Amino acid sequence: MSLKPEVKALLEAFANNPVPPLEQLPLEEARKGFEQSAKQMSRAEKLVKTEDRKINGFNGEIDIRIYTPQGTGKSQLPAIVYYHGGGWVIGNIETHDALCHTLSNEAGCKVVSVDYSLAPESKFPVAVEDSYLAAKWVFENAAVLNIDENFIAVAGDSAGGNLAAVVSYLAVERQTPSIAYQMLFYPSTGFEFTPSYEKYGEGYYLTKSTMNWFREQYLNTPADTQNPQAAPLLIPDDVTAQLPPAFIMTAELDPLCDGGAHFAMKLKNAGVETEYVCVPGMLHGFLGMTEFLPDGKKAIKDASKAFKNRSSLKPVE
C-alpha cells in the first residue's frame, strides 16, 4: 500500500521522535502529553465566540464550552453536543478546541463541548451518564441558549463517538431528550478485535495495545464489554430502528475502521437513514491533525455540510 506523502511524513516524524506509548506513561504525564500534542497538531481559528460554564454531571459538576458563530445575534440555532476522543482516559475540551471552533463556524451552529469524567478515576458508566446529562441539559435550556430544541445533534470522535451513539440510545430508552442527528467520527462501537485491528493495529498511530489499555482503564469487568451502553453494536434491533439519522466517518488506516462501518450497516439494516464515509489513506484522529493532514480540514467541512443539509430539512408535522 502506498501512503499519501503527508501521512508518510507524519508517521516518519512519529518514528524519528519516539515517545513511550501512552500505556507505559504515568497517567497525568499521558494526559499532558496528549494535550501538548493536540495543540501542535491543530490550531484553533478564533472565528466563533466561546463561553465556559459548569453544569451538573453524574457525580458532581463538569465543565462545558459553548461555541457560537459570530453575527448570529439572538436567533435560535441548531446545536451539536460534542464529546471529545481520548479512549475515555485522556483528552478534554482543550484538546478538541480547534475542532469545535471549526465545526461551529463551518456548520453555522452552536457547539457544546463536554468535559465528561475520565477513567480510571471514574469508570463506566460515569462518562456515559455525564454525557447523557449534558445533552439533556442542552435540551432543557435550549431557549436560554438560543438553541433550536427541534434540532439538537450529538457528535464525537473515537471514544466520544462511542458516547454520542450511546447518548442517542439512552435518549430513546429514557424518552428524552429529543436527539435529531448523530455524527460519529471514527467511533469505538464494540470490543471485538476486527480485521482492521490486525491490519492497522501497529505502526499507524493508534495501536491495539493502547486500545487494550484504554479498555482496561474504562471498564470494570469483562462483562461490561457486553453492555450496549459501552458497545453500541449491541444495542437491541428494536431500539436501533428508533435511533436518529446518522453521519458516520471512519479513517481507512485505523484499527477502529471496521467497527464504524459495522455500526453504519447496523443502522442502515434497521432502516435508519445513515450516511457512511470512509476517508481513504487517513489515520485515526486525523480530524485533530489538520496542521499536517489537509484531508482533516476537508473532512470537517464535509461533515459540516452534512449537518447543514440535515438541519435545514423541515420537521415532519
Side-chain angles (χ1 to χ4, degrees), residues 178-197:
S178 177
I179 304 298
Y181 198 41
Q182 51 182 326
M183 303 176 71
L184 316 179
F185 306 117
Y186 31 86
S188 172
T189 60
F191 296 99
E192 298 296 325
F193 285 120
T194 60
S196 61
Y197 268 99

Side-chain angles (χ1 to χ4, degrees), residues 18-182:
V19 295
L22 290 172
E23 58 269 27
Q24 295 179 16
L25 293 172
L27 185 57
E28 285 309 311
E29 190 174 331
R31 287 173 174 164
K32 288 178 181 177
F34 183 65
E35 188 167 346
Q36 290 171 353
S37 175
K39 290 178 180 178
Q40 295 172 346
M41 302 283 267
S42 61
R43 302 187 189 281
E45 299 179 42
K46 306 294 185 178
L47 300 174
V48 301
K49 298 179 293 183
T50 63
E51 177 192 358
D52 290 351
R53 298 182 65 163
K54 292 183 181 294
I55 62 172
N56 290 327
F58 187 63
N59 281 331
E61 289 187 329
I62 58 173
D63 294 316
I64 62 170
R65 178 168 293 165
I66 304 169
Y67 299 77
T68 305
Q70 300 281 6
T72 53
K74 295 184 178 180
S75 58
Q76 287 193 334
L77 294 174
I80 296 171
V81 183
Y82 196 90
Y83 308 108
H84 67 79
W88 308 280
V89 177
I90 59 177
N92 53 41
I93 54 179
E94 297 298 340
T95 59
H96 287 63
D97 185 56
L99 197 164
C100 289
H101 264 281
T102 305
L103 194 58
S104 176
N105 183 63
E106 291 288 342
C109 71
K110 295 252 190 179
V111 173
V112 181
S113 182
V114 182
D115 218 4
Y116 55 85
S117 301
L118 297 177
E121 298 93 332
S122 299
K123 285 183 171 287
F124 172 80
V126 178
V128 169
E129 295 296 345
D130 279 351
S131 299
Y132 171 79
L133 288 171
K136 188 168 180 281
W137 180 87
V138 171
F139 181 74
E140 291 173 346
N141 291 276
V144 176
L145 298 169
N146 292 318
I147 285 172
D148 179 2
E149 68 174 20
N150 295 309
F151 204 91
I152 295 173
V154 290
D157 61 289
S158 195
N162 168 280
L163 293 171
V166 171
V167 168
S168 295
Y169 164 52
L170 290 180
V172 172
E173 287 281 272
R174 299 174 182 179
Q175 301 184 340
T176 188
S178 177
I179 304 298
Y181 198 41
Q182 51 182 326

